[in-house]
Amino acid sequence: MAHAKLVLIAAAAVLILCQIPRFANAQLRQNYYANICPNVESIVRDAVTAKFRQTFVTVPATLRLFFHDCFVEGCDASVIVASTGNNTAEKDHPDNISLAGDGFDTVIKAKAAIDAVAQCRNTVSCADILAIAARDVIALAGGPSYAVELGRMDGFTSTAASVTGKLPQPGFNLNQLTSLFAANGLSHSDMIALSAAHTLGFSHCSSFASRIYDFSPQNPVDPTLNRAYAAQLQAMCPRDVDPRVAVNMDPVTPRAFDNQYYKNLQQGMGLFTSDQVLFTDARSRPVVDSWAQSVAAFDQAFVAAITKLGRVGVKTGANGNIRRDCALFN
């Protein structure tokens, strides 16, 4: 009798555990919109492709927007919300000021294309549109395509104050990077994979000026920098450079999503300290060396990492909604 009771209790406990969602992404799944807006992914892809044909900046801008969204309050499109008279939104925090307008425009245009289809109007979240668009720009730049998990709701809040301390900085060391990514449920390996987003896009000179002019009293130029590359950066970014001047993050294949990023690190050509440290620190160097050698291994790791990124802080049910305008709360 006692044994039977124990079996019943254990069975009930298993049942309860099975009913508790272990992750915030419990409702995320592929083909989430199959019965709601069945062509959503092709609609977004067409809009993103049209934007891509207008300007390549669409690629790094959209990808960076996705990162900056997910790292602050989760993947809820809160980074797209515009500031108002009584609220300074995420996008106007100093760490987000440099987000290129083409990323925002890509999501807004995809949203308009979706809402032009009667069945789809106001049924797809801005957060999901951004997640799909991020996948599409990676593929358009020659990177891997992958199935996107969908079902995110849009968040209810967006404040500049919430951004502070949430985004990786150019001067971060390995411990700081690992810690920040771990706070978002991302592993050491995920961090190294996602850092390769710097194989695309550009950076303003101010973000790395200290590495080429004022590294230390003994070494004005960071000794981990390739000397020829440092000289090249100094030529493009003189001390009194116009703050609008920007340089490619990847000096070799700036328009391709590839594993060149890791090959650059091996040559001392990581633009930021937070890039080069992945090679100079013995704890991460073996992974850099591995992915510099194998495109397939890198692609697989990146897809796994960006899928995990897309699950961070997801809003579900009553914790979010579907915005009629991605830049405004309903």
Side-chain angles (χ1 to χ4, degrees):
M1 186 71 176
H3 176 71
K5 241 185 213 180
L6 283 171
V7 169
L8 281 172
I9 290 167
V14 168
L15 186 62
I16 290 165
L17 282 171
C18 289
Q19 290 171 339
I20 297 171
R22 288 181 296 167
F23 305 105
N25 62 296
Q27 82 170 60
L28 293 188
R29 63 180 186 273
Q30 295 167 21
N31 303 316
Y32 176 86
Y33 293 99
N35 300 317
I36 305 166
C37 178
N39 296 323
V40 62
E41 293 196 45
S42 60
I43 295 169
V44 172
R45 187 179 304 113
D46 289 347
V48 171
T49 303
K51 177 72 182 169
F52 170 77
R53 286 174 180 154
Q54 291 172 359
T55 173
F56 181 82
V57 176
T58 300
V59 177
T62 304
L63 188 53
R64 190 163 177 241
L65 192 66
F66 184 55
F67 277 66
H68 281 233
D69 182 43
C70 293
F71 264 58
V72 181
E73 304 297 328
C75 309
D76 63 355
S78 54
V79 73
I80 302 173
V81 173
S83 293
T84 60
N86 58 7
N87 178 60
T88 304
E90 286 178 30
K91 67 182 293 188
D92 289 318
H93 184 278
D95 286 353
N96 283 333
I97 291 292
S98 63
L99 289 170
D102 289 293
F104 297 92
D105 192 46
T106 297
V107 176
I108 288 163
K109 284 184 170 164
K111 164 77 167 164
I114 290 167
D115 286 349
V117 179
Q119 179 186 352
C120 299
R121 188 170 300 128
N122 297 326
T123 64
V124 182
S125 69
C126 301
D128 276 346
I129 294 170
L130 178 54
I132 297 168
R135 182 271 310 275
D136 291 343
V137 295
I138 290 167
L140 283 166
S145 191
Y146 51 92
V148 180
E149 296 175 341
L150 301 168
R152 300 164 189 80
M153 292 290 188
D154 297 325
F156 291 135
T157 63
S158 177
T159 65
S162 64
V163 179
T164 304
K166 299 287 180 62
L167 295 169
Q169 301 299 311
F172 269 13
N173 61 33
L174 194 70
N175 288 344
Q176 290 169 308
L177 287 169
T178 302
S179 175
L180 190 63
F181 277 72
N184 290 292
L186 297 162
S187 69
H188 180 75
S189 176
D190 295 329
M191 178 271 291
I192 301 170
L194 292 170
S195 293
H198 286 176
T199 190
L200 298 163
F202 50 84
S203 171
H204 293 95
C205 299
S206 57
S207 296
F208 55 86
S210 62
R211 292 190 74 202
I212 57 175
Y213 291 116
D214 305 301
F215 184 72
S216 73
Q218 296 78 25
N219 296 293
V221 178
D222 184 342
T224 66
L225 263 177
N226 177 295
R227 287 187 180 184
Y229 183 50
Q232 184 184 338
L233 292 175
Q234 287 174 333
M236 291 187 286
C237 296
R239 279 188 181 274
D240 57 351
V241 68
D242 185 318
R244 293 169 294 184
V245 170
V247 302
N248 289 324
M249 309 262 303
D250 178 348
V252 182
T253 57
R255 287 175 169 251
F257 186 95
D258 55 19
N259 68 335
Q260 182 64 44
Y261 172 79
Y262 301 108
K263 296 177 185 178
N264 291 343
L265 299 185
Q266 290 176 319
Q267 300 301 317
M269 292 163 59
L271 188 60
F272 297 153
T273 299
S274 60
D275 294 315
Q276 195 57 48
V277 73
L278 301 181
F279 183 74
T280 57
D281 195 305
R283 293 171 292 174
S284 45
R285 187 184 303 144
V287 179
V288 170
D289 288 339
S290 171
W291 292 343
Q293 281 190 313
S294 172
V295 173
F298 161 59
D299 283 354
Q300 184 179 2
F302 186 86
V303 168
I306 200 164
T307 299
K308 283 173 70 175
L309 175 67
R311 297 170 182 163
V312 173
V314 165
K315 310 294 187 295
T316 59
N319 292 321
N321 65 5
I322 291 171
R323 273 184 231 139
R324 291 186 290 272
D325 181 331
C326 292
L328 300 170
F329 295 119
N330 291 350

